[in-house]
Amino acid sequence: DVKVTQSSRYLVKRTGEKVFLECVQDMDHENMFWYRQDPGLGLRLIYFSYDVKMKEKGDIPEGYSVSREKKERFSLILESASTNQTSMYLCASGDRLEKLFFGSGTQLSVL
Amino acid sequence: RKEVEQDPGPFNVPEGATVAFNCTYSNSASQSFFWYRQDCRKEPKLLMSVYSSGNEDGRFTAQLNRASQYISLLIRDSKLSDSATYLCVVSLGGFQKLVFGTGTRLLVSP
């Protein structure tokens, strides 16, 4: 069965902290994604990666960076967390048919 | 106009009812279409892809109307477990061009 694992289900951080969100997939997919989901706004793409060490900006990359050193792992980094980054963060991997498989999400609260 | 629009609902239906949702999209060049299901506080999960000829999976039927630029999802014989938010996803081609709707909430009651 397909599996995408996110390291934390809930995180509470303070403004200005550096935050790392980790995601691992076991499907050997080349494509991985980070989305955030906010009420009334739906899912918005932050960054995606189509290969190791490759990354592309999504719709809302400001304030975020990513790292993909290994095929199975895709990390999202908040260099200096701000309150407007409080959100549900969803990692996904994608197959060749544009189907997405999501992790269970990380609810991040920045105080 | 939003790229992908859905009625947020909620749609309240009794068990056994048939319910249908529509999702409209603005770009006529859209190529791929999907329905995802999201339970409360859980991640979205792929329900079905939507093909030009329409497709069926058990109690679920998805259809595409390119002329009017909408896709639909029909659920027959609703179960309590069908209660969820249904997300419409449209692609212009390629993962970076996937656009999610904000979802339609379905509540099935006994």
Side-chain angles (χ1 to χ4, degrees):
Chain A
D1 204 14
V2 158
K3 193 143 184 159
V4 178
T5 303
Q6 293 185 230
S7 53
S8 305
R9 186 74 180 92
Y10 298 97
L11 271 181
V12 180
K13 297 291 181 180
R14 296 206 176 275
T15 302
E17 278 193 78
K18 192 168 186 176
V19 182
F20 292 87
L21 302 182
E22 306 284 343
C23 175
V24 178
Q25 54 104 353
D26 66 358
M27 294 160 284
D28 202 35
H29 288 160
E30 291 168 350
N31 302 288
M32 295 189 74
F33 309 83
W34 276 104
Y35 288 88
R36 64 177 281 178
Q37 185 173 30
D38 301 287
L41 296 177
L43 275 80
R44 293 180 291 167
L45 182 63
I46 305 171
Y47 267 98
F48 71 99
S49 168
Y50 53 90
D51 203 351
V52 176
K53 296 192 186 294
M54 306 303 287
K55 60 185 179 184
E56 293 284 344
K57 293 180 180 179
D59 300 318
I60 50 164
E62 296 79 20
Y64 304 94
S65 62
V66 289
S67 172
R68 187 138 181 232
E69 296 297 318
K70 293 184 177 181
K71 190 175 185 179
E72 67 272 18
R73 190 178 296 270
F74 192 35
S75 303
L76 180 70
I77 303 147
L78 287 66
E79 295 289 343
S80 178
S82 62
T83 54
N84 63 13
Q85 291 179 309
T86 291
S87 186
M88 169 67 81
Y89 289 87
L90 289 159
C91 173
S93 70
D95 70 9
R96 295 180 185 276
L97 298 176
E98 292 183 304
K99 296 176 183 175
L100 292 174
F101 301 88
F102 287 89
S104 54
T106 296
Q107 179 63 52
L108 173 67
S109 297
V110 182
L111 306 178
Chain B
R1 183 183 173 186
K2 286 185 180 178
E3 290 184 81
V4 176
E5 288 199 74
Q6 296 183 253
D7 183 337
F11 283 57
N12 289 284
V13 302
E15 269 187 294
T18 295
V19 61
F21 317 130
N22 282 347
C23 165
T24 59
Y25 59 94
S26 59
N27 195 323
S28 59
S30 298
Q31 299 178 12
S32 308
F33 308 88
F34 307 89
W35 284 104
Y36 281 74
R37 172 202 167 115
Q38 186 171 24
D39 293 302
C40 189
R41 297 193 183 88
K42 296 287 184 82
E43 74 274 20
K45 292 184 179 178
L46 180 67
L47 182 63
M48 55 202 306
S49 304
V50 186
Y51 304 121
S52 296
S53 56
N55 47 304
E56 189 174 308
D57 183 2
R59 297 181 293 108
F60 298 83
T61 300
Q63 292 197 312
L64 167 63
N65 185 318
R66 285 196 182 273
S68 300
Q69 294 183 203
Y70 73 87
I71 65 172
S72 63
L73 179 67
L74 179 79
I75 305 174
R76 288 181 298 277
D77 188 23
S78 298
K79 311 291 185 191
L80 294 176
S81 57
D82 293 334
S83 297
T85 296
Y86 291 84
L87 305 175
C88 165
V89 182
V90 175
S91 173
L92 283 169
F95 280 109
Q96 63 270 39
K97 296 177 183 173
L98 283 174
V99 180
F100 282 77
T102 51
T104 295
R105 191 166 172 220
L106 172 66
L107 297 172
V108 182
S109 54

